[in-house]
Amino acid sequence: APAPAPASAPAPAAAAPAQSPTAAPAAPATNAAPAAAPAPSTPAPPLSASLSGPFPGGRVVRLHPVVLASIVDSFERRNEGAARVIGTLLGTVDKHSVEVTNCFSVPHNESEDEVAVDMEFAKNMYELHKKVSPSEIILGWYATGHDITEHSVLIHEYYSREAHNPIHLTVDTSLQNSRMSIKAYVSAPMGVPGKTMGVMFTPLTVKYVYYDTERIGVDLIMKTCFSPNRVIGLSSDLQQVGAASARIQDTLTMVLQYAEDVLSGKVAADNTVGRFLMDLINQVPKISAEDFETMLNSNINDLLMVTYLANLTQSQIALNEKLLSL
Amino acid sequence: MASRKESSGAAGGSFAASKGKGKAAATGDSAVKQVQIDGLVVLKIIKHYQEEGQGNEVVQGVLLGLVVDDRLEITNCFPFPQHTEDDADFDEVQYQMEMMRSLRHVNIDHLHVGWYQSTYYGSFVTRALLDSQFSYQHAIEESVVLIYDPIKTAQGSLSLKAYRLTPKLMEVCKEKDFSPEALKKANIAYENMFEEVPIVIKNSYLINVMLWELEKKSAVADRHELLSLASSNHLGKSLQLLMDRVDEMSQDIVKYNTYLRNVSKQQQQKHQYQQRRQQENMQRQSRGEPPLPEEDINKLFKPPQPPPRMESLLIAGQINTYCQNIKEFNAQNLGKLFMAQALQDYNN
């Protein structure tokens, strides 16, 4: 089988922690010419030995939403006449995946026959970024647009000098098929060695990861999709509690609908869903009414007392202010 | 693309124009009525704290954008490295200059319009913040400071507030005179030190498309922390900080009282001295000797230094913020408790 890399030891990935992940050429989805497979492995046997783990479908790229927002924003600010923008991706590598947490755009010029990238600028920006987050390294580059062009190959080569086997991310801002498709690739050389060589971009799985606070931030920003002039204000206090409860109410309605459908036979019953529902119902604790009353009252008393104290403190400092200005 | 460029050029012009307008308005209202933030900036601030901030260290950064009429639009931001290493040769100004120059190459608005800072349980009313914001507002009329509270955000809803110094406080800071008389003259109370500017979040259409795309692709479950009833930890910490501040405040009050007592004691002493002098002079006159020269009273009795009032103003302002936060928090919790009660009644 054309699998020189993954077959070897998965553990010593520790040998190459700082390097970007090398491609797993054994992406069985693509029928790479078997002749090509031995070629990349021979010049770097220690590297392929340190290639970590089995990746049947390819490596996973974990993307944070801030990266996408940055890319779209730099696309909106592109120079006149530029069809697309490119930039560097920054992030961290670990054994099984690559996590892209930051990016910045790099000015470049592209015409029919040539492409020029301001690598000096890219280096400078990377140094500046490193001062803030020293743990981020260059993982690859991104480009807007829905296709990989020949220029991409050249640019990819530029980036191979910065990062070991860089990742290429495309964000389709031209909205082909009415979707903004986001894809990631690694390159693998192909062709007949010695004669015509080419580069093939193998796709990778893209997963979106969020920090908790990021999730909350994205939820809030998402609300602009629903307002007419794309503007929302920040709500306060009980409004937030109300909104959160409304969300739960919606999900509960969905679940109820599902249960009704199953009962009336419209939908086939699914045991796993049934078990989840059982768990859900059993999570509501059974407390006797008096115990609950006591708990509720003591909590309410605590909160009321704290509010009272806060009000008292505020009136104290107001009084103090008045006295001092006499 | 081109229109963006034009608007940033025009904004440069209108920026100067609004500065003139702002100065005229400084006596009355503030120059900025609303702050409009791009979704991108929110995400960047969240990420910066998440990755580089631990415990109660603050993370800071610079806000970039432009001013449109009385609205401040914040379109981008970049973080500032922290001072942990104490690198002697790390030049902040140089870092800023380089960053802004590079960003200009990629058509990002390079106008400095403010700065942001994270906060620990709402304790941001400090002398350092006042000084920084004063220098910003002095240089750029419309600048704001964005305060991001990560702990409150982690509890369920984004907590981002924009503050400016009131024009009155700006005047006082310009004079650098923080004695009690000057502050009394300016009529500043802790409530009109900072003013909060309402924030709206705005996204472009393309970003909305991207957000829809994300929504479809990422199957991250909804988080419901906002409805959690287990909140006493947070409340406890806030109250602890409040108590510390109140202690500081009482110390400050004691200091002020001692000063007042000293002043009145000195007044008495002066009075006694003057009386004794007069008596002696009368005695001498009756004896026919020349009266003693009047000595300069002030040289004998040096007046005690009045304590600077800025500290106590800041402490009062901080206590006020804490109390506001606590009350807001409590209101939410009460609502949640009543909901839980309703549910339980229904069950029974």
Side-chain angles (χ1 to χ4, degrees):
Chain A
S8 48
Q19 295 166 344
S20 273
T22 18
T30 59
N31 289 326
S41 67
T42 31
L47 279 178
S48 56
S50 62
L51 242 202
S52 47
F55 296 98
R59 258 195 142 88
V60 174
V61 174
R62 294 172 30 185
L63 204 54
H64 279 261
V66 64
V67 174
L68 288 175
S70 252
I71 298 179
V72 172
D73 182 70
S74 15
F75 176 73
E76 288 175 346
R77 293 167 178 278
R78 65 190 184 285
N79 287 319
E80 272 193 70
R84 60 180 193 164
V85 290
I86 66 164
T88 313
L89 294 172
L90 305 171
T92 50
V93 187
D94 69 5
K95 258 204 294 190
H96 305 288
S97 61
V98 164
E99 193 158 338
V100 184
T101 48
N102 206 351
C103 67
F104 58 83
S105 74
V106 175
H108 85 300
N109 285 320
E110 214 170 286
S111 64
E112 277 298 320
D113 2 316
E114 61 167 12
V115 63
V117 175
D118 193 349
M119 286 314 273
E120 187 64 39
F121 178 93
K123 266 203 229 324
N124 263 346
M125 278 295 256
Y126 177 51
E127 290 301 311
L128 288 176
H129 275 265
K130 235 174 128 125
K131 291 209 178 106
V132 180
S133 352
S135 58
E136 287 184 344
I137 57 174
I138 297 186
L139 290 178
W141 63 295
Y142 68 80
T144 57
H146 65 96
D147 236 352
I148 302 190
T149 63
E150 309 90 41
H151 297 316
S152 306
V153 177
L154 280 172
I155 304 180
H156 202 79
E157 238 182 289
Y158 281 142
Y159 272 95
S160 325
R161 296 185 219 143
E162 303 287 328
H164 184 72
N165 211 327
I167 301 186
H168 175 41
L169 185 73
T170 54
V171 177
D172 181 14
T173 41
S174 52
L175 302 177
Q176 294 242 331
N177 310 327
S178 329
R179 292 290 294 270
M180 180 188 272
S181 55
I182 301 168
K183 302 210 185 82
Y185 306 90
V186 243
S187 79
M190 68 164 182
V192 182
K195 301 215 184 110
T196 33
M197 292 282 294
V199 162
M200 172 181 61
F201 283 92
T202 25
L204 304 170
T205 355
V206 175
K207 278 219 285 200
Y208 300 97
V209 287
Y210 303 77
Y211 301 123
D212 292 347
T213 35
E214 240 180 344
R215 172 85 227 169
I216 295 175
V218 170
D219 277 343
L220 181 69
I221 300 175
M222 193 104 66
K223 297 218 182 94
T224 62
C225 299
F226 303 109
S227 95
N229 53 349
R230 302 161 287 130
V231 166
I232 51 161
L234 296 181
S235 56
S236 71
D237 291 29
L238 285 176
Q239 276 180 341
Q240 293 165 350
V241 178
S245 346
R247 272 205 303 270
I248 290 214
Q249 238 185 341
D250 288 339
T251 38
L252 278 178
T253 333
M254 261 199 315
V255 171
L256 273 178
Q257 186 62 39
Y258 172 79
E260 306 245 326
D261 286 343
V262 169
L263 278 179
S264 60
K266 267 192 264 179
V267 176
D270 186 353
N271 280 341
T272 22
V273 177
R275 261 181 239 126
F276 276 127
L277 285 177
M278 274 291 287
D279 282 341
L280 181 68
I281 312 257
N282 287 339
Q283 265 184 357
V284 180
K286 252 191 166 33
I287 320 177
S288 74
E290 302 97 38
D291 283 348
F292 188 78
E293 277 295 310
T294 352
M295 278 199 298
L296 189 73
N297 282 334
S298 61
N299 266 326
I300 293 187
N301 281 338
D302 283 343
L303 289 178
L304 286 177
M305 174 191 75
V306 173
T307 315
Y308 175 72
L309 283 177
N311 279 331
L312 194 65
T313 322
Q314 275 186 315
S315 33
Q316 276 273 6
I317 42 179
L319 266 180
N320 183 41
E321 203 64 35
K322 287 285 183 286
L323 283 176
L324 285 179
S325 52
L326 275 178
Chain B
M1 333 156 312
S3 53
R4 267 295 194 170
K5 250 195 185 154
E6 270 172 29
S7 67
S8 56
S14 71
F15 184 69
S18 60
K19 228 181 167 165
K21 234 195 317 170
K23 278 203 171 37
T27 44
D29 315 307
S30 206
V32 173
K33 292 267 171 24
Q34 201 189 53
V35 172
Q36 181 180 293
I37 307 186
D38 265 14
L40 171 65
V41 175
V42 174
L43 287 178
K44 271 187 150 176
I45 295 180
I46 293 180
K47 165 204 172 336
H48 185 207
Y49 179 80
Q50 190 71 33
E51 293 190 348
E52 308 300 328
Q54 303 98 17
N56 48 356
E57 281 179 18
V58 292
V59 296
Q60 300 177 330
V62 169
L63 298 171
L64 307 163
L66 51 136
V67 179
V68 175
D69 300 333
D70 61 356
R71 210 174 52 220
L72 180 67
E73 293 194 10
I74 301 183
T75 51
N76 215 323
C77 66
F78 62 84
F80 238 67
Q82 285 172 312
H83 306 277
T84 41
E85 296 97 75
D86 274 6
D87 246 337
D89 49 357
F90 175 70
D91 193 358
E92 286 195 0
V93 180
Q94 202 204 10
Y95 173 83
Q96 262 195 7
M97 289 279 101
E98 284 231 22
M99 205 52 162
M100 309 231 294
R101 215 179 311 144
S102 315
L103 290 177
R104 201 192 316 194
H105 279 300
V106 288
N107 297 339
I108 294 186
D109 294 324
H110 55 277
L111 294 172
H112 220 151
V113 292
W115 60 300
Y116 68 84
Q117 180 179 301
S118 73
T119 172
Y120 180 69
Y121 282 110
S123 45
F124 57 87
V125 185
T126 59
R127 192 55 192 268
L129 185 112
L130 190 72
D131 289 338
S132 304
Q133 182 58 16
F134 171 66
S135 50
Y136 259 93
Q137 248 176 273
H138 195 60
I140 305 166
E141 182 80 33
E142 294 86 357
S143 67
V144 297
V145 54
L146 275 187
I147 302 286
Y148 165 66
D149 190 344
I151 301 175
K152 197 138 182 257
T153 307
Q155 286 197 327
S157 65
L158 182 67
S159 154
L160 198 63
K161 297 213 166 109
Y163 289 101
R164 284 167 53 75
L165 300 182
T166 47
K168 280 199 237 172
L169 193 60
M170 287 288 289
E171 301 270 338
V172 173
C173 284
K174 255 185 256 189
E175 312 290 320
K176 288 205 193 311
D177 179 15
F178 296 128
S179 64
E181 294 81 31
L183 286 176
K184 218 188 293 186
K185 228 191 325 174
N187 198 11
I188 293 200
Y190 61 87
E191 288 140 342
N192 24 9
M193 286 209 299
F194 292 100
E195 55 177 12
E196 189 179 332
V197 188
I199 295 184
V200 291
I201 299 189
K202 181 165 175 150
N203 278 332
S204 67
Y205 288 111
L206 209 52
I207 298 238
N208 277 355
V209 173
M210 178 208 79
L211 288 172
W212 275 117
E213 208 40 59
L214 263 188
E215 175 81 357
K216 273 197 181 336
K217 288 219 181 126
S218 72
V220 180
D222 242 344
R223 317 264 332 194
H224 297 292
E225 296 101 353
L226 189 57
L227 293 174
S228 148
L229 289 174
S231 55
S232 48
N233 207 12
H234 182 257
L235 199 57
K237 281 224 183 64
S238 303
L239 283 178
Q240 183 72 38
L241 288 170
L242 183 63
M243 288 194 319
D244 289 340
R245 277 296 183 284
V246 172
D247 280 339
E248 278 182 28
M249 183 96 196
S250 63
Q251 279 180 353
D252 197 76
I253 292 181
V254 164
K255 255 195 278 183
Y256 192 66
N257 279 343
T258 0
Y259 160 72
L260 282 179
R261 228 176 292 139
N262 283 347
V263 164
S264 70
K265 233 195 312 189
Q266 221 191 36
Q267 290 285 62
Q268 272 192 334
Q269 285 180 337
K270 272 197 218 171
H271 203 63
Q272 283 178 345
Y273 179 79
Q274 272 187 328
Q275 280 195 329
R276 250 185 290 134
R277 266 291 148 126
Q278 279 184 346
Q279 278 188 340
E280 267 198 44
N281 278 345
M282 283 203 309
Q283 284 182 346
R284 278 174 172 241
Q285 274 188 341
S286 64
R287 276 187 270 156
E289 285 169 20
L292 287 172
E294 285 288 327
E295 282 175 18
D296 193 2
I297 291 248
N298 284 339
K299 273 212 208 106
L300 288 179
F301 295 95
K302 283 220 179 55
Q305 276 282 36
R309 285 273 294 125
M310 207 40 169
E311 276 306 310
S312 51
L313 262 188
L314 285 173
I315 297 178
Q318 183 64 72
I319 293 183
N320 195 29
T321 326
Y322 281 146
C323 289
Q324 292 285 75
N325 283 351
I326 289 181
K327 286 202 290 199
E328 199 177 296
F329 186 69
N330 279 350
Q332 285 185 327
N333 274 4
L334 276 174
K336 287 190 254 178
L337 279 177
F338 281 123
M339 272 203 314
Q341 184 190 34
L343 269 180
Q344 192 69 15
D345 285 344
Y346 185 72
N347 272 350
N348 295 345

